[in-house]
Amino acid sequence: MTDLRSAVVNRVRLVYEVAGDAGAPPVLLLHGRGSDHTTWAGVIEHLAGSWRVYAPDARGHGASDWPRVYSLELMRDDVVALLDHLELPRVTIVGHSMGGMVAFLVAQDHPGRVERMVLEDVPAPHPARLSLPGRPDGELPFDWAMVEQTAHQRNHPDPAWLDGLAKVTAPTLVIAGGAPSHLPQDQVADLARRIPGARLMTIEAGHEVHATRPVEFNDALTAFLGR
């Protein structure tokens, strides 16, 4: 059974889905840019029998507040504040794309809060040289200002992010999307190399491994979390 709740953290209201037994080990799912908690539906269903699952909409996404001010550091701080609100001293984090970058920022700056970490098709934070397209017409399920501001950060990342990967202490699984992904896979491999003890696995599925190859993704996820 799932439940949709909200919390005000850092003066921003975050909406999050909760599933699973309240006494089970906690897992936090962080979606990619332009998505929301619903992208994790199949993963939540798979995990909820053994874990307590939390899946928030990041600021500027879905039903959470769109405060017009965005950065990966603010999203990191939102996650830590949400964990405080939920009274979760330690949690396993699964992050896809942008959510994975937020996850490793939490893990490098607050290593005591992260039990394990799974990063799905996440590149090492090298300058990305992204070109930003024009805003699409019509209503969007996310704030376009968020896209502009986080794209700028991807093009001009703080060098401390890259250096900080060596500070991650959580056992980490990096799942790469392989050749079908639009992300440079050498940068995904570089992320795994820079995190001490991280394991790299490739599932030839493209960028959204959890959606394109859900069985393989869920099997890899539960095998890693069950260790």
Side-chain angles (χ1 to χ4, degrees):
M1 183 175 181
T2 64
D3 189 12
L4 205 59
R5 304 179 184 179
S6 67
V8 177
V9 299
N10 296 336
R11 293 179 289 184
V12 173
R13 176 178 172 268
L14 297 184
V15 170
Y16 59 98
E17 185 173 352
V18 184
D21 190 287
V27 176
L28 182 71
L29 306 178
L30 302 180
H31 63 76
R33 188 170 69 185
S35 188
D36 60 29
H37 73 276
T38 61
T39 189
W40 296 115
V43 178
I44 293 171
E45 182 179 3
H46 183 75
L47 292 179
S50 301
W51 285 271
R52 178 69 161 179
V53 186
Y54 301 89
D57 289 353
R59 64 167 60 204
H61 294 77
S64 290
D65 282 351
W66 297 13
R68 306 293 293 173
V69 178
Y70 303 99
S71 70
L72 297 181
E73 294 96 337
L74 285 172
M75 293 179 184
R76 171 203 61 200
D77 295 345
D78 291 345
V79 167
V80 174
L82 180 61
L83 296 181
D84 290 342
H85 170 82
L86 296 170
E87 299 182 343
L88 297 175
R90 285 174 67 85
V91 66
T92 290
I93 303 181
V94 180
H96 173 235
S97 194
M98 181 192 76
M101 298 189 79
V102 174
F104 71 60
L105 290 180
V106 175
Q108 63 184 233
D109 293 333
H110 303 274
R113 306 301 296 267
V114 184
E115 185 75 30
R116 288 179 177 267
M117 184 165 60
V118 178
L119 304 175
E120 179 192 354
D121 214 41
V122 180
H126 298 289
R129 299 188 180 93
L130 298 175
S131 58
L132 187 67
R135 184 195 185 283
D137 294 333
E139 293 187 7
L140 299 173
F142 52 86
D143 189 350
W144 188 252
M146 175 276 303
V147 175
E148 295 174 331
Q149 293 170 41
T150 57
H152 179 78
Q153 281 200 297
R154 286 284 287 112
N155 287 335
H156 307 280
D158 186 337
W161 299 353
L162 194 64
D163 295 339
L165 293 173
K167 301 177 183 178
V168 174
T169 59
T172 300
L173 172 64
V174 177
I175 299 178
S181 174
H182 70 275
L183 288 183
Q185 293 298 287
D186 60 333
Q187 292 191 16
V188 179
D190 185 44
L191 179 76
R193 281 194 297 270
R194 290 173 180 271
I195 296 175
R199 176 189 170 201
L200 176 65
M201 165 186 272
T202 298
I203 300 176
E204 295 288 339
H207 187 50
E208 296 190 353
V209 183
H210 69 278
T212 307
R213 300 278 290 276
V215 174
E216 291 93 332
F217 181 86
N218 286 334
D219 285 350
L221 184 60
T222 52
F224 179 72
L225 298 188
R227 288 186 176 184

